[in-house]
Structures are given as structure tokens and as C-alpha cells.
């Protein structure tokens, strides 16, 4: 089946994208407004984009009625945000923070979350999250009238001690993190799944010079 994206409404194309690009990691983003209200919301248009410098990217979709979501507005206004990762035991609380609450309402309180102070930026991280990345905005790219990609530089990483195999070498027990990922449809997620390993081949001829 062929689809010309210009001939279909955005919601139709959204369904095609989210049903095929799976699984998607979840960024549980905490921000602080200029008025001091802490906002937390999950986003699955997210991934790491580089390591030198360490770089993350968030695709921030529009609010159906208000335009940019609170997360996007806060990132634009303050230039700071925290990406927290979602373990399976926090999935229900993460889902609660996806509610379309007004800007003056903190999802932290709605979901009964605990926060911890970040080290280098103002927005707090989620204390229960197994991993948190403190980020400063590198640039914001408006890809539509109400849609934004936030590219952030990671300035600090927090990983719960119990998941570190060798802190000096930076070895993490990744399976133990038990992270959840976004799948297709309105409310499907992935936890675990079958793993398989393939070694990257080494070219035996003359390398490019």
C-alpha cells in the first residue's frame, strides 16, 4: 500500500508512523515553568542522537486545542529539561502524567511522584526513575506551526546505584532497568521481549583511508 502523506490528514499519518516505528523509548520529561510550576509528561518520539557531545532529541507533538504543549513551552522559555526513563514499576504513574491537565496543575502531585534536585539545571528529576538525564537546550526546530523538535545536550547523568555493574567502567545492568517502550495503538506498551545478539563484522579487506 502506498500513501502520499500530503493526501491524508495528520492523524491518519500519525497512526501509520506509530504502528510501524516500534518499539519507541519513552522520555518522561520534567520541566519547570518560569512561574515555578513543575510539569512532567511522557513522550515516545525520542532517542539519543550522539555522544560527543551527548545529545538527545524530543519530538514534541501539538496539543489538540492549545498549540504547543506545556513541556515545549517550558523548554523554550527556560532552555532546560530532564529526561527520565520509565521502568515497568513506574508505568502506571507515567500513564497518569499523560493527562491533559491545565498549565497551572502539576502532574507531579496528580501522580504522587517524588522529585529530587537536579545538579546542574533547575527542573527536578524524578527520584524513582532508574535513569535521568539533565539536559540544556541546544536548539529548538519548529517542524510545523504547533510541532517542535527539542535537541538537548546532556550535561549530567543519574543512574541508580543498584543498576551499576562497574561504576568505574560505566557498565550498566541494562536488562535490570526493566524499561518499558511505546508500541502501536492507543495504549500498547512493551516490557522485556526476546533478546538476540549479533557481533558487528570486521571488514577483512583494505579499509578506506
Amino acid at each position: 500500500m502506498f500513501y502520499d502523506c500530503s493526501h491524508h490528514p495528520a492523524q491518519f499519518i500519525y497512526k501509520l508512523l506509530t504502528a510501524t516505528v516500534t518499539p519507541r523509548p519513552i522520555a518522561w520529561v520534567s520541566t519547570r515553568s518560569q512561574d515555578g510550576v513543575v510539569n512532567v509528561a511522557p513522550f515516545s518520539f525520542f532517542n539519543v542522537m550522539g555522544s560527543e557531545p551527548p545529545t538527545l532529541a524530543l519530538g514534541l507533538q501539538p496539543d489538540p486545542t492549545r498549540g504547543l504543549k506545556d513541556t515545549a513551552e517550558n523548554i523554550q522559555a527556560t532552555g532546560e529539561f530532564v529526561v527520565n526513563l520509565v521502568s515497568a514499576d513506574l508505568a502506571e504513574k507515567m500513564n497518569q502524567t499523560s493527562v491533559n491537565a491545565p498549565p497551572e496543575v502539576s502532574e507531579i502531585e496528580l501522580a504522587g511522584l517524588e522529585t529530587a534536585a537536579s545538579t546542574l539545571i533547575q527542573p527536578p528529576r524524578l527520584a524513582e526513575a532508574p535513569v535521568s538525564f539533565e539536559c540544556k537546550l541546544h536548539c529548538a526546530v519548529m517542524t510545523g506551526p504547533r510541532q517542535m523538535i527539542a535537541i538537548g545536550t546532556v550535561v549530567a547523568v543519574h543512574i541508580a546505584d543498584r543498576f551499576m555493574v562497574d561504576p568505574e567502567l560505566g557498565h550498566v545492568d541494562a536488562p535490570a532497568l526493566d524499561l518499558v517502550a511505546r508500541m502501536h495503538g492507543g495504549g500498547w506498551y512493551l516490557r522485556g521481549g526476546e533478546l538476540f545478539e549479533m557481533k558487528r563484522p570486521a571488514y577483512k579487506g583494505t579499509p578506506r583511508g
Side-chain angles (χ1 to χ4, degrees):
M1 182 61 68
F2 167 77
Y3 297 100
D4 184 332
C5 294
S6 64
H7 295 171
H8 298 275
Q11 188 58 31
F12 182 87
I13 300 301
Y14 173 85
K15 290 191 295 184
L16 298 181
L17 294 175
T18 57
T20 54
V21 183
T22 60
R24 300 186 306 280
I26 300 171
W28 205 4
V29 184
S30 48
T31 58
R32 187 192 297 273
S33 73
Q34 290 183 308
D35 295 329
V37 176
V38 176
N39 174 272
V40 177
F43 297 90
S44 65
F45 287 7
F46 151 69
N47 220 311
V48 61
M49 295 295 163
S51 61
E52 194 177 353
T55 306
L56 299 176
L58 303 172
L60 303 172
Q61 297 294 291
D63 181 273
T65 57
R66 294 190 290 112
L68 288 178
K69 291 185 176 180
D70 298 334
T71 297
E73 291 184 342
N74 291 347
I75 290 174
Q76 279 190 319
T78 68
E80 298 181 336
F81 60 97
V82 181
V83 170
N84 306 277
L85 301 186
V86 184
S87 53
D89 60 322
L90 295 174
E92 181 54 42
K93 288 185 177 181
M94 177 275 296
N95 192 45
Q96 291 179 32
T97 63
S98 66
V99 67
N100 57 339
E104 67 274 11
V105 174
S106 174
E107 293 83 0
I108 295 283
E109 297 178 5
L110 288 178
L113 293 166
E114 295 183 15
T115 62
S118 292
T119 306
L120 302 177
I121 62 175
Q122 290 299 310
R125 58 191 176 91
L126 299 180
E128 299 170 81
V131 181
S132 297
F133 303 106
E134 297 183 23
C135 300
K136 291 189 176 181
L137 182 65
H138 176 273
C139 64
V141 181
M142 299 305 298
T143 56
R146 300 180 300 162
Q147 179 176 282
M148 185 177 96
I149 296 175
I151 300 174
T153 301
V154 180
V155 296
V157 180
H158 301 265
I159 303 175
D161 290 346
R162 65 185 183 277
F163 299 117
M164 298 304 303
V165 176
D166 189 326
E168 293 299 320
L169 295 177
H171 291 174
V172 180
D173 187 353
L177 293 173
D178 198 18
L179 301 178
V180 297
R182 197 72 166 85
M183 293 295 289
H184 58 283
W188 286 99
Y189 294 83
L190 177 69
R191 176 185 181 183
E194 182 179 354
L195 297 177
F196 67 96
E197 182 180 18
M198 294 190 294
K199 299 294 185 181
R200 183 175 181 177
Y203 184 66
K204 294 187 171 74
T206 302
R208 293 181 179 178

